[in-house]
Amino acid sequence: MLTPATEESIAAAAALLRDGHCVAFPTETVYGLGADATNARAVAHIFAIKQRPSFNPLIVHIGEAAELADIAEHPPAAAGALLRAYWPGPLTIVVAKRSRIPDIVTAGLPSVAVRLPDHPVAIALIRRAGRPIAAPSANPFGYVSPTRAEHVDAQLGERVPMILDGGACRVGLESTIVAFTTGEPTLLRLGAVSVEAIEQIIGPVRIAAASEPVQAPGQTPRHYSPSVRVSLIDSPAEVPTMRRDDAALLAMGPVDDADGFARVCILSPANDLEEAAARLFACLRELDDSDLRHIYAIAPPQAGIGRAIADRLRRAATRPA
Ligand code: TXA
Ligand code: MG
């Protein structure tokens, strides 16, 4: 059920969570499908609703930074420096876990992913529930993450007892994930907290290569995918006129040479990459619901949040094996 987030509905959602049910809620990145992270049965519902392979570990959301100590071992200094700079915010750290977090949350890994979201509804919900909340993005496994409550409702509405509606997500891409489980900080997923920003605080980070064993499902080549075919291009000139009439052109900012495309989506008329990121997933969903055959996406510049946008577009463009 889609419910506007109010003090009363947040209290009702917190009660559902304490009783072992799942609730969908907004964060600044994307909507999450939450359950009590200390209750293995409640967490099992998440996997059933998402039809997600159970070997994928979940992010545990906390309501204040001090709660990290209850679920994780004391983090390395670099992790501490990073979370002091970016919490609350779109940054997830992976650190050694404590036994309070059941194995189903971490898929048996000795580490746990933790995040303090920067959204008043998420924070209020977690605090009212009085426990850490495990939450993946609230979409069926492998599909585009939801950035509006309506996206959750359209796909999971019948299976989730409550969807708290907090409007459109400000960031629109999933959080940046940095693991501190080996001596070397490793970036597992690109996001709004850019590589440049992280390196300014903790020095060089390793970026996990696609060929490494999959630790994060966001690392699987095909992910965040609409069902319409997506191709990444550098310029509209690569698309001949005859291919344009059943195709959409998706661009970060204004473009020349958009003639003949059935649809043209300019994610940010002001050419602001943060605005483009915030609108990307909603736009992919909308194009997926149309009868277009192809989405041609112009690759953003490979810097700052542009790298995270390019990463999601590349995965969306990967054809099923
Ligand atoms: O922005 C976000 O992070 C959103 C909102 C709801 O907070 N959540 C999200 O969750 O994107 P999900 O489940 O779609 O992605 C979680 C990512 C996965 O790539 C997972 O493999 C990784 O976190 N992860 C979780 N625990 C891990 C661990 N112990 N080691 C390595 N990766 C881990
Ligand atoms: Mg996800």
Side-chain angles (χ1 to χ4, degrees), residues 50 137 139 145 223:
K50 273 192 70 114
S137 51
N139 52 281
S145 293
H223 205 75

Side-chain angles (χ1 to χ4, degrees), residues 258-315:
D259 292 349
F261 285 98
R263 285 280 300 277
V264 179
C265 297
I266 306 299
L267 291 175
S268 170
N271 219 348
D272 170 0
L273 283 181
E274 290 189 5
E275 183 185 21
R279 293 186 54 202
L280 175 67
F281 287 164
C283 182
L284 285 176
R285 277 174 186 265
E286 198 190 306
L287 294 175
D288 209 22
D289 288 341
S290 65
D291 46 15
L292 297 171
R293 304 277 305 270
H294 210 136
I295 300 169
Y296 291 97
I298 303 180
Q302 282 283 339
I305 198 170
R307 285 176 73 146
I309 298 172
D311 170 75
R312 302 308 191 272
L313 285 172
R314 244 188 330 270
R315 294 176 201 281

Side-chain angles (χ1 to χ4, degrees), residues 149-321:
E150 294 81 5
H151 298 161
V152 184
D153 196 34
Q155 291 189 301
L156 303 178
E158 279 167 16
R159 285 181 260 172
V160 184
M162 193 165 186
I163 301 166
L164 284 176
D165 186 352
C169 300
R170 175 171 57 79
V171 174
L173 298 179
E174 305 84 351
S175 60
T176 303
I177 305 180
V178 188
F180 293 91
T181 45
T182 61
E184 201 182 11
T186 303
L187 192 94
L188 299 183
R189 183 169 73 186
L190 293 157
V193 178
S194 66
V195 182
E196 296 91 327
I198 292 169
E199 292 193 330
Q200 245 175 35
I201 294 179
I202 62 172
V205 292
R206 198 170 68 85
I207 300 181
S211 57
E212 285 175 38
V214 173
Q215 281 194 53
Q219 288 174 280
T220 50
R222 182 175 164 81
H223 205 75
Y224 314 108
S225 302
S227 32
V228 175
R229 181 159 182 209
V230 179
S231 298
L232 263 177
I233 57 175
D234 290 317
S235 143
E238 292 167 43
V239 188
T241 317
M242 54 179 278
R243 298 251 189 85
R244 294 185 179 194
D245 59 1
D246 59 359
L249 180 66
L250 175 65
M252 303 303 123
V255 270
D256 302 327
D257 188 22
D259 292 349
F261 285 98
R263 285 280 300 277
V264 179
C265 297
I266 306 299
L267 291 175
S268 170
N271 219 348
D272 170 0
L273 283 181
E274 290 189 5
E275 183 185 21
R279 293 186 54 202
L280 175 67
F281 287 164
C283 182
L284 285 176
R285 277 174 186 265
E286 198 190 306
L287 294 175
D288 209 22
D289 288 341
S290 65
D291 46 15
L292 297 171
R293 304 277 305 270
H294 210 136
I295 300 169
Y296 291 97
I298 303 180
Q302 282 283 339
I305 198 170
R307 285 176 73 146
I309 298 172
D311 170 75
R312 302 308 191 272
L313 285 172
R314 244 188 330 270
R315 294 176 201 281
T318 303
R319 305 300 296 156

Side-chain angles (χ1 to χ4, degrees), residues 35-125:
D36 176 353
T38 64
N39 177 343
R41 285 187 59 152
V43 174
H45 288 318
I46 294 178
F47 292 108
I49 292 173
K50 273 192 70 114
Q51 296 173 300
R52 178 179 219 192
S54 53
F55 49 76
N56 287 332
L58 305 177
I59 295 174
V60 176
H61 297 68
I62 54 180
E64 50 197 308
E67 284 167 33
L68 177 64
D70 300 337
I71 57 183
E73 299 296 339
H74 188 70
L82 208 54
L83 65 85
R84 274 192 297 281
Y86 289 107
W87 276 8
L91 169 80
T92 296
I93 59 163
V94 177
V95 289
K97 88 172 185 82
R98 283 183 182 276
S99 58
R100 183 165 178 230
I101 298 300
D103 277 343
I104 187 171
V105 173
T106 64
L109 293 171
S111 58
V112 62
V114 189
R115 175 164 119 76
L116 176 63
D118 185 17
H119 195 292
V121 174
I123 292 291
L125 177 67

